[in-house]
Amino acid sequence: MKKIGLVLAATVLFCLISCSNPQQVILTPQEDTLRSELMSKADKTVWSNEIEPERLSTKLNDKAEALEKEYITPQMLSSIKELQPAVYPEIKGFASLDCSAMNTSLISALNSFCQELCKGTDNLQSYFYSNYFFNYVFFKTDFEPIVEQLKKDDILFDRYLICKAFETQDLTQVPVRFYNNKDYVDLSVYLTYHNGYKVTQIEVIRWGKLYGESEKEKSEQ
């Protein structure tokens, strides 16, 4: 590389002088001496072999063409930081089904409570915080007409959907929809953390019936 540099320097010097007077090239003694020294150093320099010489002759667009043949894998996609956030279904007019931010302890407590409520309202005492036990009595009384109408063969509900929670420092509100065939009941379950999540209140939002909707439409309506 140094040899090439010296040759280029001599060439540039020669061109500058030539361009200044294209009709006749006249070198001063100093310029002639400088050119001679450059040519002499270039001839006497011992050059080493190039490292990875094939890379010096490789076309830049060859690498680009190779990359175009690669397929995007799920692993590559997951590493892209600016992906659009996940889109979750929702129960229209009620709540989103995005439970991604809910901690496992809350999910576990809710699943246990909901599974018990699917059987009926008689054995929910242990899920209520003792300071709010009176709310269990009120809920059971208010919920009695629904139980009388829907409960069959010791089953009150056959499935449920836990929805996106609304959390504050002291209280967590979780919308839950329960299904019994075509009937559904929307509840808002309030919990507080006291040696685990405990229910403080249950609010009945609405009680309705589905007419001809598919199972997919139920989760999106």
Side-chain angles (χ1 to χ4, degrees):
M1 297 299 292
K2 291 181 179 179
K3 180 178 180 181
I4 295 173
L6 292 173
V7 173
L8 288 175
T11 304
V12 170
L13 178 61
F14 178 77
C15 289
L16 288 174
I17 297 171
S18 299
C19 292
S20 63
N21 188 359
Q23 301 299 324
Q24 184 179 7
V25 178
I26 301 175
L27 297 178
T28 64
Q30 182 179 1
E31 292 169 342
D32 189 48
T33 301
L34 178 59
R35 185 179 66 173
S36 299
E37 288 180 358
L38 288 173
M39 298 301 294
S40 176
K41 289 183 179 180
D43 292 336
K44 294 179 180 179
T45 302
V46 179
W47 304 98
S48 62
N49 296 327
E50 294 94 339
I51 299 175
E52 298 181 335
E54 66 281 356
R55 298 187 64 181
L56 299 176
S57 60
T58 300
K59 294 181 180 179
L60 295 178
N61 59 359
D62 286 350
K63 298 298 181 183
E65 291 173 0
L67 289 175
E68 290 176 357
K69 297 178 182 179
E70 296 293 336
Y71 294 97
I72 297 177
T73 64
Q75 292 76 14
M76 293 172 64
L77 285 176
S78 64
S79 66
I80 299 175
K81 295 181 179 180
E82 296 185 4
L83 286 177
Q84 291 295 323
V87 177
Y88 293 88
E90 66 175 14
I91 299 176
K92 188 175 181 180
F94 184 50
S96 166
L97 299 182
D98 177 13
C99 297
S100 59
M102 296 171 64
N103 65 64
T104 55
S105 179
L106 176 58
I107 289 289
S108 177
L110 282 167
N111 276 319
S112 180
F113 167 78
C114 291
Q115 289 165 12
E116 190 61 42
L117 181 55
C118 284
K119 303 173 185 176
T121 60
D122 292 336
N123 299 305
L124 300 177
Q125 301 93 321
S126 61
Y127 296 97
F128 274 79
Y129 184 29
S130 58
N131 292 0
Y132 295 88
F133 188 76
F134 58 90
N135 280 332
Y136 167 54
V137 178
F138 293 152
F139 166 71
K140 187 175 180 181
T141 301
D142 293 340
F143 212 65
E144 191 62 31
I146 299 176
V147 175
E148 292 177 357
Q149 180 69 28
L150 299 181
K151 190 171 183 179
K152 297 177 182 179
D153 300 326
D154 296 327
I155 295 297
L156 179 58
F157 301 110
D158 52 39
R159 60 195 184 280
Y160 60 87
L161 288 174
I162 296 174
C163 303
K164 182 178 181 179
F166 303 92
E167 299 188 61
T168 64
Q169 185 175 358
D170 301 318
L171 195 65
T172 300
Q173 177 189 2
V174 185
V176 184
R177 170 168 284 193
F178 290 85
Y179 292 101
N180 183 323
N181 197 10
K182 293 294 184 179
D183 292 277
Y184 69 88
V185 177
D186 290 339
L187 302 181
S188 188
V189 183
Y190 296 83
L191 305 97
T192 188
Y193 192 85
H194 183 76
N195 295 326
Y197 282 96
K198 295 290 184 179
V199 178
T200 61
Q201 182 182 353
I202 304 175
E203 181 182 0
V204 180
I205 305 300
R206 61 187 173 187
W207 173 19
K209 186 178 289 289
L210 303 171
Y211 295 97
E213 296 92 338
S214 67
E215 194 66 33
K216 179 180 180 181
E217 290 171 334
K218 291 176 186 176
S219 64
E220 296 176 344
Q221 66 171 316

